[in-house]
């Protein structure tokens, strides 16, 4: 019995000395969390409008529900691409309506109107914008932000941006700078494809550099995220990944999207209609040997596997994808958790050239110019050497310095 008691005592000591479960390397607070912790009293007596989407959550609860539960007077909701609660797929028109869970009016910013009208802002004093910009020029949420800033200035409304980390990291800048002639809703600012700015920083730069149509500056307040450093990519933040849009279910998909989005401007499938959009590319007429991928794998420190797939229509995610129901052949990209040794924008351009060479009926469309920011269609069709962007990137890095918040 004595020995058994000694055994139990030793066992209890070992259990008490057991190391805690490994914690994430860094814990970052989003601007939404900081708002709830430190700024709620500033909203007292204010009528509040929310420009948000499904990622606008703290502790798993959507911000609209949290704010209403603690007594903030939320009076209007504004829906960007994919909808306020994320019920729409890419490119699907959003209609005005009523939020079923709160009964609040929802005004569409991704339909016939993309800029809030005076009528949409009548019942609002302060706008809170919490959208998951992904640090990429061709993602529409940053365009929505610019139009909201203009509307806020014109209608004398305050606008607070609840800042959050750039998932790709604040040091990652890559790609061609958008030429003015290719400006569109998928490219509103003369910045590189990946610009390494948070939404708050981009807002300040857009105002400071005169990229917006403003007679006077908006009453802008940025609620900074806490704990984020520019060197951090999303996996370093300790934050949960909530898909910023239906076709970006994980950070790995977003990382690939930075480069393979260019295939949206071609007749090559970018993987919509599969479980791995942007990680899979291909078409029915692609032909290559798996060994031909080895050089690209080595150059970019990625894993490239040959794959076949059949795109399917997926409601709320991908309606009528390219080659729906047809067998496609192509490439599956895997980063295996290594995001430090690959420039995904350069990888996308490299794979574009590979697919051009190995597809019998390859076609590049004018939309590729809007995505790339240059006349990429002409360069590809004329088999011209593509321009380098390093000098443009360095120029942009210097230009953005006065607007950095982190």
């Amino acid at each position: 019995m004595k020995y058994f008691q000694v055994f139990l005592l030793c066992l209890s000591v070992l259990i008490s000395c057991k190391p805690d479960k490994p914690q994430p390397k860094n814990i970052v607070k989003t601007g939404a969390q900081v708002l709830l912790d430190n700024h709620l009293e500033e909203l007292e007596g204010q009528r509040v409008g929310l420009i948000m989407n499904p990622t606008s959550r703290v502790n798993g609860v959507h911000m609209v529900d949290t704010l209403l539960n603690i007594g903030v007077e939320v009076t209007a909701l504004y829906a960007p691409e994919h909808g306020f609660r994320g019920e729409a797929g890419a490119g699907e028109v959003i209609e005005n309506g009523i939020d079923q869970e709160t009964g609040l009016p929802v005004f569409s910013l991704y339909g016939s109107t993309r800029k809030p009208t005076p009528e949409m802002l009548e019942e609002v004093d302060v706008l809170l914008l919490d959208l998951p910009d992904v640090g990429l020029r061709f993602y529409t949420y940053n365009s929505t932000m610019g139009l909201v800033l203009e509307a806020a200035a014109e209608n004398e409304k305050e606008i607070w941006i609840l800042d959050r980390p750039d998932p790709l990291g604040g040091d990652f800048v890559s790609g061609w700078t958008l030429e003015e002639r290719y400006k569109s809703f998928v490219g509103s600012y003369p910045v590189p494809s990946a610009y390494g700015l948070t939404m708050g920083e981009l807002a300040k730069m857009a105002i400071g550099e005169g990229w917006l149509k403003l007679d006077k500056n908006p009453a802008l307040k940025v609620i900074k995220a806490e704990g984020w450093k520019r060197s951090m990519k999303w996996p370093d933040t300790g934050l949960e990944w909530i898909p910023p849009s239906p076709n970006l279910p994980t950070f790995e998909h977003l990382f690939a999207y930075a480069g393979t989005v260019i295939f949206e401007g071609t007749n090559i499938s970018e993987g919509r209609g599969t479980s791995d959009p942007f990680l899979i590319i291909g078409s029915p007429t692609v032909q290559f040997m798996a060994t031909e991928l080895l050089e690209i794998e080595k150059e970019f420190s990625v894993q490239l596997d040959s794959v076949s797939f059949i795109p399917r229509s997926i409601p709320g995610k991908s309606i009528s994808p390219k080659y729906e129901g047809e067998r496609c052949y192509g490439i599956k990209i895997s980063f295996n958790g290594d995001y430090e040794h690959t420039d995904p924008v350069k990888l996308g351009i490299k794979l574009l050239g590979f697919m051009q060479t190995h597809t019998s009926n390859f076609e590049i469309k004018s939309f590729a110019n809007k995505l790339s920011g240059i006349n990429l269609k002409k360069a590809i069709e004329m088999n011209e050497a593509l321009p380098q962007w390093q000098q443009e990137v360095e120029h942009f890095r210097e230009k953005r310095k006065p607007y950095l918040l982190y």
Side-chain angles (χ1 to χ4, degrees):
M1 186 71 177
K2 177 180 178 181
Y3 294 113
F4 182 67
Q5 289 175 331
V6 171
F7 170 75
L8 290 178
L9 177 62
C10 293
L11 182 61
S12 66
V13 170
L14 287 172
I15 292 173
S16 65
C17 294
K18 183 179 178 180
D20 294 332
K21 182 180 178 180
Q23 298 297 311
K25 289 191 293 182
N26 299 286
I27 297 296
V28 173
K29 283 186 178 182
T30 64
Q33 177 69 70
V34 175
L35 170 79
L36 297 176
D37 291 346
N38 303 324
H39 297 277
L40 285 178
E41 68 282 356
E42 300 169 49
L43 293 177
E44 291 181 9
Q46 303 273 28
R47 299 171 302 168
V48 178
L50 308 180
I51 304 105
M52 297 183 176
N53 89 331
T55 63
S56 308
R57 296 174 177 269
V58 172
N59 297 324
V61 181
H62 199 290
M63 279 292 286
V64 63
D65 303 314
T66 296
L67 292 171
L68 287 171
N69 287 337
I70 58 183
V72 174
E73 187 183 359
V74 180
T75 55
L77 311 178
Y78 303 88
E81 185 177 11
H82 305 299
F84 188 83
R85 292 191 186 264
E87 62 277 8
E92 290 185 36
V93 172
I94 307 296
E95 302 290 350
N96 292 340
I98 299 294
D99 179 54
Q100 296 302 307
E101 297 190 34
T102 64
L104 289 168
V106 180
F107 297 105
S108 171
L109 300 181
Y110 196 75
S112 58
T113 300
R114 294 186 174 179
K115 179 178 178 178
T117 65
E119 293 73 24
M120 291 180 181
L121 299 173
E122 280 181 349
E123 301 299 320
V124 168
D125 302 310
V126 179
L127 293 163
L128 302 184
L129 187 147
D130 182 23
L131 292 178
D133 188 47
V134 295
L136 295 167
R137 184 188 63 232
F138 33 76
Y139 209 66
T140 64
Y141 290 156
N142 61 58
S143 295
T144 295
M145 175 201 68
L147 295 175
V148 171
L149 287 169
E150 292 176 2
E154 292 165 5
N155 294 277
E156 299 184 340
K157 308 293 182 180
E158 284 188 59
I159 175 169
W160 298 8
I161 292 179
L162 312 185
D163 218 12
R164 54 173 70 205
D166 179 334
L168 297 173
D171 291 332
F172 179 58
V173 182
S174 184
W176 295 291
T177 297
L178 178 73
E179 296 178 9
E180 177 67 23
R181 58 181 166 161
Y182 298 122
K183 184 177 179 180
S184 71
F185 199 63
V186 292
S188 294
Y189 313 109
V191 299
S193 300
Y195 44 75
L197 297 172
T198 67
M199 192 75 98
E201 291 172 332
L202 181 60
K204 286 184 169 292
M205 189 169 188
I207 294 167
E209 296 297 319
W211 297 339
L212 303 177
K213 297 176 182 177
L214 297 171
D215 291 330
K216 59 181 177 181
N217 287 348
L220 171 64
K221 180 175 186 173
V222 178
I223 307 296
K224 291 174 57 178
E226 292 184 356
W228 184 64
K229 299 178 182 178
R230 307 203 76 81
S231 60
M232 293 180 184
K233 289 181 171 56
W234 191 268
D236 303 317
T237 66
L239 292 169
E240 176 189 5
W241 179 263
I242 303 173
S245 60
N247 284 290
L248 299 176
T250 72
F251 174 73
E252 184 173 39
H253 290 82
L254 168 64
F255 197 72
Y257 169 80
T260 56
V261 67
I262 197 64
F263 288 100
E264 291 188 337
T266 72
N267 64 339
I268 301 292
S269 168
E270 67 282 354
R272 291 187 188 273
T274 76
S275 60
D276 283 312
F278 304 107
L279 285 171
I280 291 176
I281 54 175
S283 85
T285 60
V286 173
Q287 290 186 334
F288 61 88
M289 300 290 290
T291 54
E292 295 180 84
L293 299 173
L294 295 177
E295 184 178 332
I296 302 177
E297 282 187 320
K298 184 177 180 181
E299 180 180 355
F300 290 93
S301 300
V302 296
Q303 180 179 330
L304 302 176
D305 297 306
S306 56
V307 67
S308 69
F309 59 97
I310 301 175
R312 306 290 188 188
S313 183
I314 305 174
K317 187 174 181 179
S318 182
I319 303 298
S320 301
K322 292 176 190 171
Y323 305 117
E324 181 179 357
E326 295 185 53
R327 173 70 62 181
C328 295
Y329 305 91
I331 297 170
K332 170 74 180 293
I333 305 167
S334 301
F335 298 101
N336 299 316
D338 182 5
Y339 304 112
E340 299 302 323
H341 299 95
T342 301
D343 181 329
V345 180
K346 290 182 179 178
L347 173 62
I349 297 301
K350 188 77 171 186
L351 291 174
L352 181 69
F354 181 89
M355 287 303 213
Q356 178 193 17
T357 302
H358 292 82
T359 306
S360 59
N361 63 337
F362 178 84
E363 179 185 351
I364 187 165
K365 304 174 183 179
S366 296
F367 187 56
N369 298 341
K370 292 183 178 180
L371 293 170
S372 66
I374 65 169
N375 195 343
L376 186 63
K377 175 177 168 63
K378 178 184 175 183
I380 293 291
E381 290 179 341
M382 301 298 291
N383 200 29
E384 297 174 351
L386 298 180
Q388 298 295 308
W389 60 59
Q390 192 55 41
Q391 189 173 349
E392 293 180 2
V393 163
E394 293 307 317
H395 175 71
F396 177 75
R397 285 184 181 277
E398 288 298 314
K399 194 172 186 177
R400 72 178 189 160
K401 281 183 177 179
Y403 308 103
L404 300 184
L405 300 173
Y406 307 87

